Amino acid sequence: DLRTEDLLTEREINDLSTACRKLLEENNSLELLRDAEKKRTLTSLGVHFLNTALDAPDLSDETAALSLYIDAIAKFSKLRPGDLNKGNRALPEHLPELIKKKLFDQFSSGAGNRRMITPDMKDK
């Protein structure tokens, strides 16, 4: 069984949970989440999980963190080569810097503005 601790450190869970709660405060309805999707701030997968989190009366830190992390991975996987070269700036502002760095480190290779996603990394 895969556990949250296998994917994220305690600090990453805390940072993502805080960012998720702030994002849900600003986008506190399905309509607002869908608007964020239209603006390409969120993915459709992220909207689904964040809307579920929005409806949860007792949202745990882990659920909040995973909801935003899933969206971040989906967003990262759709980056074009030109966007990859922008580095962390290519990802939405609401994501903690620690998570942006983690995504680039885990799912791409190369350094600086010469990043690329190999087929093996895409399969992760």
Side-chain angles (χ1 to χ4, degrees), residues 15 21 26 48 69-70 86 90 93 97 103 107 109 121:
D15 288 359
R21 291 174 195 283
E26 296 167 0
H48 170 76
Y69 191 56
I70 289 168
K86 293 178 186 174
E93 289 181 18
E97 287 299 315
L103 290 171
F107 299 109
S109 63
M121 291 182 162

Side-chain angles (χ1 to χ4, degrees), residues 89-105:
R89 293 175 297 139
L91 294 169
E93 289 181 18
H94 63 264
L95 288 176
E97 287 299 315
L98 181 67
I99 297 305
K100 291 179 184 182
K101 182 179 179 341
K102 179 180 184 125
L103 290 171
F104 273 91
D105 290 347

Side-chain angles (χ1 to χ4, degrees), residues 39-58:
K39 294 175 186 168
R40 300 187 186 268
T41 303
L42 297 173
T43 64
S44 59
L45 185 64
V47 168
H48 170 76
F49 283 104
L50 290 167
N51 187 52
T52 302
L54 192 60
D55 292 339
D58 54 347

Side-chain angles (χ1 to χ4, degrees), residues 73-89:
I73 292 170
K75 188 80 174 159
F76 184 85
S77 72
K78 294 179 180 182
L79 291 179
R80 296 183 181 123
D83 293 327
L84 274 176
N85 293 339
K86 293 178 186 174
N88 292 358
R89 293 175 297 139

Side-chain angles (χ1 to χ4, degrees), residues 3-19 21 60-66 69 96 98-99 102:
R3 300 177 332 184
T4 305
E5 297 82 30
D6 297 332
L7 297 172
L8 301 167
T9 66
E10 190 173 326
R11 178 171 177 213
E12 291 167 343
I13 290 171
N14 289 336
D15 288 359
L16 279 167
S17 176
T18 300
R21 291 174 195 283
S60 73
D61 285 350
E62 286 184 357
T63 301
L66 286 173
Y69 191 56
L98 181 67
I99 297 305
K102 179 180 184 125

